[in-house]
Amino acid sequence: MPQTHVQTYVQAPVQPRRPEVLRGRIGTGFSPEPHRYRLYVAADDCPSCLGVTAAFADLGLRDTVALTVLRPGSDPAGHEALRRAYEAAGHDHDGTLTVPALCDGWSGRVVSNHAPDILEDLRRLSVHPAFHPGR
């Protein structure tokens, strides 16, 4: 799988994988609440990001889960928010930002940067009644 590096204004590269994977799960410590989560993906050919983005679109979560697409050389606020979420997830964060990443808006930290877990959590949210009011 090709690795994607996106330089940010804080000089922290964004890569599609990180040796130390964060694997928190919605439903285990993170409750399924609309408007609580933000998904970060890269705007390039990263297979994991493309798969997560496609699933996100197909599952109809646009109104209840925020999406931030990080582009090289742009969106400094998005890169900075992701950096803060990684720092909040662990005090010994090495500065490397990886995507895809699912972040919790309540705690301000990364829930998961493991694409298969993110996909499964998005599927769970898509069938949760709170994420589709009026159904």
Side-chain angles (χ1 to χ4, degrees):
M1 176 181 298
Q3 288 199 342
T4 303
H5 299 278
V6 179
Q7 286 298 90
T8 68
Y9 76 104
V10 292
Q11 300 179 10
V14 176
Q15 300 173 339
R17 290 195 180 207
R18 177 180 180 189
E20 188 177 341
V21 177
L22 301 173
R23 296 191 66 182
R25 300 300 304 269
I26 295 175
T28 307
F30 296 94
S31 62
E33 298 288 336
H35 311 290
R36 178 175 179 171
Y37 299 98
R38 177 171 297 276
L39 180 62
Y40 290 88
V41 296
D44 60 14
D45 293 334
C46 166
S48 294
C49 289
L50 290 172
V52 168
T53 303
F56 176 81
D58 290 344
L59 294 171
L61 294 169
R62 291 179 196 166
D63 293 334
T64 54
V65 176
L67 176 68
T68 297
V69 179
L70 299 172
R71 291 173 173 74
S74 67
D75 192 14
H79 286 86
E80 178 63 19
L82 182 58
R83 183 190 62 75
R84 284 192 312 270
Y86 268 100
E87 289 174 352
H91 60 81
D92 51 346
H93 174 64
D94 69 3
T96 303
L97 308 178
T98 61
V99 293
L102 182 63
C103 297
D104 175 23
W106 292 1
S107 69
R109 64 187 178 140
V110 174
V111 173
S112 179
N113 63 355
H114 186 251
D117 289 353
I118 293 171
L119 288 168
E120 181 59 31
D121 283 347
L122 292 176
R123 286 185 195 104
R124 283 188 204 166
L125 294 179
S126 74
V127 298
H128 193 281
F131 284 76
H132 299 284
R135 269 194 188 175

